[in-house]
């Protein structure tokens, strides 16, 4: 069976770091199928990396191994970990990168990557992507048993992810990501609240959006529109335009959601 | 046989959309070979997407499946289609994305993607790349018969692509693409007109280019030069420089081609 | 066996050139595993391409074929070459692109790519990546014997790469690359000089860096720190910041390395 290994990093594609990780993986697991999720996570932005992983992992087949390296703490004492869920594997630093993705899993167990037999030697102080995470993922793809990767770990570092805050008369939402089209993706997921789509009112940047639509195409040209996007999150878009520009909003911008009286 | 599926989108690689499509494809067709053409088509620029597809498809082996998603009309009534030529397949929205590539094919037949057995359920209103195009391409790669994908379609939406216009004393050409090196690629293809290379004169941005050369290397440093490039189209380049900068030209710039008296 | 073919170019991913090369390769060697190193080498910057190749090639399994196209001289008289070392292959223009990588090999032999049986026909004057390098690499991956690719070549063009210069009281180093994190990578390799880490003093941009550290994490926040990075080269970084910005440095910036008295 050809195992899939996905890669999510903040390395960019200008530097050779991603190519090096692929070389290391293919040297150990020549049959592995490599898939780039993104290498454009903003440098050292663990929250953005966590959200990228959360967005993709449910769409990959069972057994997929997700390697993620957004690792401001490399060379310090942070642990290197692998996590197994009922569906897939994660390999990377123990800094909360997997918090969002794991919130969707029913079961999981984790190990600290302490077995040097699965590492490159010597392990550098600066590039664990190459020396630990890539070879561990490759050995896992090539058939190594999960529990041989290292010592059991009962608690992972968790990340404080943005989430809606209940206010007296409204729900405070937050933009967690702005996509290439200028759509604003918020921290409100479709399954977290019961919403009356027709009565909902969104306030952002001094403007009001009336109701939640089924799709961006329902809006008039140039007008902001709210809908639950393909990510399962409430998004604000502008048909044939950029909501980020129209509403001068970005990651961290606050939205207020109210029900009309 | 490992079928090739190429991907051409305007999704960029910063967002998780391309990774999601790959996960969906590999879940259905684990043996498929995925090749990215580009994900940097300018947002919602169907003409640019059409020209990218045209540029690449003849270089892929027979049976390749080209998935393209530049889809400003997603969620509106536009059809989702698959097209089969004597050589390859196209899967995407019926908005003219395949017009340029299909102009090179002798035969083709098309279906509207109406068979829900090949779609993800439920189909979202905003991301047909994930819910329709990726799974349909994957099923095709995995052996589904073309005619089972949906209802026959006898006419596709066609795109009004830039093409040369005959003027009284000249041929009006248009820049259709500026590549990374600043080369200007025009809408004049090598096989569309009989040209006397030595007598040709090109007028662009107040300058005249004398004759059509065999290669950019024939030009003096810093001087604009015209030649038929690797795309089979007339291109304007500047040796060791950028024609776009030197001539202050971009997509849509007009050139006049004359034969010297 | 599935042979790995890596691609390193200055084509970017906006234009279709890389996709075209992949189509050509897969048409000849359908089992080849394609790995992108980078396509963001600055346009026509052969030194940057050479350093990218040097950085990655030791991490790929034996037999890997590295295709590189940074080729300002395409269409002029420069030769097209393939090189075999005890470990891997290189295919590309004979303009010094492989100088740095080959400096690490014990043995190598080279051929000029003169056998037209392994080229596309006709060979264009502008895109040898498609017409010569991609098909030659694919034929090599598919089993062609190295010596059948063309005539033996006893000398390759070599590139004048930056290297440390001994001054009266110091060693003059040079920044050869600035990575995505703003780290400055120099031309001093770990094995080229014997250094007393504690006594070393680096002078750059009017500042002094005292000692060479084991990792960026050893530094105080915002302070520049020198260490031998994952590349085996002396690097200057700033913890949680950009050394390029802090020190106003870039490719070509000079550093002076002294031993404290």
């Amino acid at each position: 069976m050809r195992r899939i290994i996905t890669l999510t990093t903040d390395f960019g594609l200008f530097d050779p770091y991603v190519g090096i990780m692929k070389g290391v993986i293919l040297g150990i697991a020549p049959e592995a199928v490599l898939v780039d999720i993104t290498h454009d996570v903003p440098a050292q932005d663990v929250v953005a990396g966590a959200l990228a992983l959360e967005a993709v992992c449910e769409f990959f087949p069972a057994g997929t191994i997700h390697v993620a390296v957004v690792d401001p703490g490399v060379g310090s004492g942070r642990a290197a970990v692998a996590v197994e869920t009922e569906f897939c594997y994660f390999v990377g630093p123990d800094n909360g990168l997997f918090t969002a993705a794991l919130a969707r899993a029913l079961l999981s167990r984790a190990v600290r990557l302490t077995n040097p037999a699965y590492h490159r030697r010597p392990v550098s102080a600066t590039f664990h992507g190459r020396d630990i995470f890539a070879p561990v993922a490759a050995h896992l793809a090539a058939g190594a048993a999960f529990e041989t990767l290292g010592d059991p770990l009962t608690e992972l570092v968790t990340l404080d992810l943005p989430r809606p805050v209940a206010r007296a008369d409204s729900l405070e939402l937050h933009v967690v990501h702005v996509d290439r089209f200028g759509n604003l993706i918020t921290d409100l997921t479709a399954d977290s609240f019961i919403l009356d789509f027709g009565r909902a009112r969104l306030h952002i940047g001094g403007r009001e959006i009336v109701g939640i639509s089924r799709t961006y195409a329902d809006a008039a040209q140039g007008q902001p529109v709210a809908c639950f996007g393909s990510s399962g999150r409430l998004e604000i878009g502008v048909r044939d335009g950029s909501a980020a520009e129209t509403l001068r909003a970005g990651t961290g911008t606050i939205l207020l959601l109210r029900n009309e009286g």
Side-chain angles (χ1 to χ4, degrees), chain A:
Chain A
M1 195 187 63
R2 298 164 71 219
R3 286 293 269 282
I4 299 168
I5 299 178
T6 80
L7 299 173
T8 302
T9 76
D10 62 353
F11 292 159
L13 289 171
F14 169 54
D15 296 313
Y17 306 126
V18 173
I20 288 171
M21 287 180 65
K22 292 181 178 175
V24 169
I25 290 170
L26 292 171
I28 296 165
E31 297 299 317
V33 176
L34 297 171
V35 178
D36 297 301
I37 301 307
T38 181
H39 300 291
D40 291 338
V41 173
Q44 311 202 332
D45 186 338
V46 179
V47 171
L51 294 170
L53 274 178
E54 180 204 29
V56 302
C57 60
E58 70 173 292
F59 298 102
F60 277 83
T64 294
I65 300 161
H66 300 284
V67 178
V69 194
V70 182
D71 195 9
V74 65
S76 70
R78 70 101 188 88
V81 295
V83 188
E84 180 182 37
T85 75
E86 73 272 27
F87 202 63
C88 66
Y89 300 90
F90 298 96
V91 178
D94 183 22
N95 60 10
L97 254 185
F98 310 123
T99 299
L102 289 173
R104 301 186 166 205
L106 278 179
L107 301 168
S108 65
R109 58 175 176 154
V111 289
R112 198 177 160 128
L113 302 175
T114 47
N115 184 348
Y118 296 130
H119 304 173
R120 273 178 62 88
R121 267 153 287 187
V123 169
S124 72
T126 52
F127 193 5
H128 288 185
R130 176 192 68 191
D131 300 332
I132 299 179
F133 306 133
V136 162
H139 282 292
L140 206 48
F146 181 78
E147 56 274 15
T148 67
L149 301 177
D151 302 320
L153 194 67
T154 53
E155 207 163 347
L156 290 167
V157 171
T158 57
L159 206 62
D160 214 10
L161 292 165
R163 62 182 69 190
V165 178
R167 301 289 179 201
D169 61 345
S170 65
L171 199 60
E172 178 186 306
L173 313 181
H174 311 90
V175 175
V176 295
H177 181 67
V178 180
D179 79 7
R180 194 197 185 199
F181 302 95
N183 298 320
L184 309 171
I185 290 126
T186 74
D187 52 0
L188 184 70
T189 52
D191 49 7
S192 53
F193 289 88
I194 295 172
L195 270 173
D196 183 331
F197 276 33
R199 290 173 60 216
R201 298 291 178 271
L202 265 163
H203 297 266
I204 174 172
R207 292 181 70 157
E208 187 185 60
I209 301 172
V210 176
I212 294 176
S213 305
R214 198 185 53 91
T215 156
Y216 291 139
D218 288 351
Q221 198 130 349
Q223 289 306 308
V225 57
C227 63
F228 281 94
S230 57
S231 59
R233 291 169 174 277
L234 189 71
E235 302 181 8
I236 315 299
V238 164
R239 194 177 166 191
D240 301 329
S242 160
E245 280 176 28
T246 303
L247 302 169
R248 294 167 195 238
T251 301
T253 295
I254 290 175
L255 305 88
L256 294 179
L257 175 65
R258 290 198 181 89
N259 268 351
E260 191 181 58

